[in-house]
Amino acid sequence: MATILARAGATAAASGSLPMSTGRRRHNAVIVAAATGTGQAVPQEGALERPAWSGETPLSRLVGALIAFKPLYALMKLASREVIIRTAEKSNIPWREMTKKVLESDVYEVFERIRDPSLVYPDYYLSPFHAYDEGNLSWLAAAEAEPATMSIAKRAIPEATSIEEANQIVRGSWLNAIEEHHLKYSGNCEINDILDIGCSVGVSTRYLAEKFPSAQAVGLDLSPYFLAVAAQKEEKLSRQNPIRWVHANGEATGLPSDSFDLVSLAYVCHECPARAITGLVKEAFRVLRPGGTIALTDNSELSPVLFTLMKSTEPFLDEYYMLDLEETMRQVGFVNVCSILTDPRHRTVTATMPY
């Protein structure tokens, strides 16, 4: 694993670019988590740039035009889905088997218990998404979410010998970035309560609960389908502090102010328009206690080919790459904002709720 970590760190340092906002390309400092031969992360500085293919660039406009042509869009959407499934199965992720297991389970009963029928969905959430016509509001999307999540780690760390090893590197680096930031900037403020916004089927929530076992974790999502899958799996586990699942909008959670020590958004922001990302950051600021930590992990830079495929199923990808996330967090009121490239494909941005 040390060799893989070293290669991952070298790749991150070489690519070393994270997206920024404005129409022109601009540089900024970012901490890059490289690795030594011992497998220990060593912070290094790298260049931070907005990708050349995002925003109002010729390539971005071309991709937008292709997507606007409906017959071609349908083919691109299908191609994107096939690439994801094929990549997963080549990595020994039993995509179809995992999907079938969920769809043939008693998850539908859990759905009725967890769904808030009065919840009003934001307009952007009702659009086709991830090659699903119903977006995240469908059983197929919920059943396929975990194998899709597993494949993220393998694509980020292709040298890993197994999905488990890839996840250990990707998730481990993310969790270490959170812990190190909190220890550095939050003094003696312990992590007793965790909110995972946009928790999907609970993969990130379970990692957080295992990293901080004495804390009470809450997984919150707009999709009752995803939450039903998350809750059903959690019911089969034995945990000191069982995870609580909440069906709500991350921009207006309805949870008490000053009630969490850590708010996490894992792979959420690239799925949202800029206004929603800002809303999510504001809500995190409201529910965090003084000294608490916010952590957002998401895509760094994609190749133009992968960007083209993803944009066909991710309608707000351009807005994510054009938004200066770090500056948005500062404007909301967060301090100690820090970006770190936690693996070759993903950055983690952490910040502190001021006292």
Side-chain angles (χ1 to χ4, degrees):
M1 180 178 296
T3 302
I4 293 173
L5 281 166
R7 289 177 182 171
T11 303
S15 61
S17 57
L18 294 179
M20 293 301 290
S21 59
T22 61
R24 65 184 187 279
R25 302 186 73 169
R26 101 185 191 194
H27 296 265
N28 208 347
V30 63
I31 300 299
V32 179
T36 66
T38 62
Q40 299 296 315
V42 178
Q44 295 182 354
E45 287 212 290
L48 195 154
E49 294 182 343
R50 178 180 62 78
W53 36 254
S54 63
E56 291 302 314
T57 62
L59 179 56
S60 181
R61 288 196 296 270
L62 174 61
V63 172
L66 293 174
I67 292 172
F69 183 56
K70 296 302 181 184
L72 186 56
Y73 166 72
L75 290 175
M76 292 171 67
K77 185 170 69 172
L78 180 61
S80 178
R81 177 175 168 79
E82 287 300 316
V83 165
I84 292 171
I85 295 177
R86 188 167 60 248
T87 301
E89 292 183 333
K90 283 183 178 178
S91 301
N92 297 317
I93 298 172
W95 185 291
R96 290 174 176 82
E97 181 182 333
M98 293 176 70
T99 300
K100 182 180 179 182
K101 184 177 180 180
V102 171
L103 294 176
E104 294 180 352
S105 71
D106 62 352
V107 69
Y108 309 98
E109 298 173 11
V110 182
F111 174 85
E112 294 302 328
R113 297 199 306 267
I114 210 161
R115 181 175 69 101
D116 178 1
S118 66
L119 181 63
V120 177
Y121 296 101
D123 56 354
Y124 73 84
Y125 201 73
L126 300 174
S127 303
F129 206 78
H130 285 168
Y132 305 108
D133 291 338
E134 303 88 359
N136 289 337
L137 297 173
S138 75
W139 282 118
L140 184 59
E144 293 186 332
E146 185 162 6
T149 301
M150 291 169 68
S151 68
I152 289 175
K154 185 60 175 174
R155 289 199 301 271
I157 314 293
E159 301 90 349
T161 58
S162 66
I163 291 298
E164 291 74 19
E165 185 177 40
N167 266 314
Q168 186 177 350
I169 295 170
V170 171
R171 298 290 182 169
S173 296
W174 160 63
L175 292 168
N176 287 341
I178 294 173
E179 184 177 44
E180 289 171 10
H181 183 100
H182 194 79
L183 288 172
K184 182 175 182 179
Y185 294 109
S186 297
N188 296 322
C189 176
E190 294 184 1
I191 296 180
N192 295 316
D193 295 281
I194 300 170
L195 175 60
D196 189 23
I197 296 178
C199 68
S200 182
V201 294
V203 175
S204 56
T205 323
R206 290 192 292 273
Y207 273 106
L208 288 163
E210 289 162 9
K211 178 69 174 179
F212 306 101
S214 63
Q216 172 63 60
V218 175
L220 182 146
D221 204 273
L222 266 169
S223 173
Y225 302 87
F226 285 4
L227 287 171
V229 173
Q232 185 209 35
K233 185 161 187 174
E234 181 67 13
E235 287 174 358
K236 300 174 182 178
L237 302 175
S238 176
R239 197 186 302 278
Q240 176 184 343
N241 293 313
I243 297 170
R244 182 163 70 95
W245 308 101
V246 176
H247 182 211
N249 185 342
E251 297 176 69
T253 64
L255 298 170
S257 299
D258 306 329
S259 55
F260 293 94
D261 306 298
L262 170 63
V263 174
S264 171
L265 293 96
Y267 311 110
V268 173
C269 292
H270 77 276
E271 299 185 353
C272 302
R275 68 180 189 277
I277 298 173
T278 301
L280 292 167
V281 173
K282 287 180 177 179
E283 181 68 353
F285 190 86
R286 184 186 71 81
V287 301
L288 273 170
R289 296 181 179 120
T293 297
I294 181 175
L296 301 90
T297 191
D298 219 309
N299 296 334
S300 53
E301 187 166 351
L302 302 170
S303 70
V305 173
L306 188 55
F307 169 75
T308 302
L309 286 175
M310 283 193 67
K311 192 172 179 179
S312 66
T313 64
E314 304 268 12
F316 306 111
L317 202 58
D318 247 339
E319 290 194 43
Y320 164 72
Y321 278 115
M322 291 298 290
L323 179 69
D324 188 331
L325 184 56
E326 293 86 345
E327 183 58 28
T328 298
M329 294 166 75
R330 293 187 187 97
Q331 289 179 1
V332 167
F334 283 105
V335 296
N336 306 320
V337 180
C338 179
S339 294
I340 183 169
L341 198 59
T342 39
D343 67 64
R345 289 199 175 190
H346 304 106
R347 63 167 170 167
T348 297
V349 186
T350 48
T352 307
M353 174 72 174
Y355 286 96

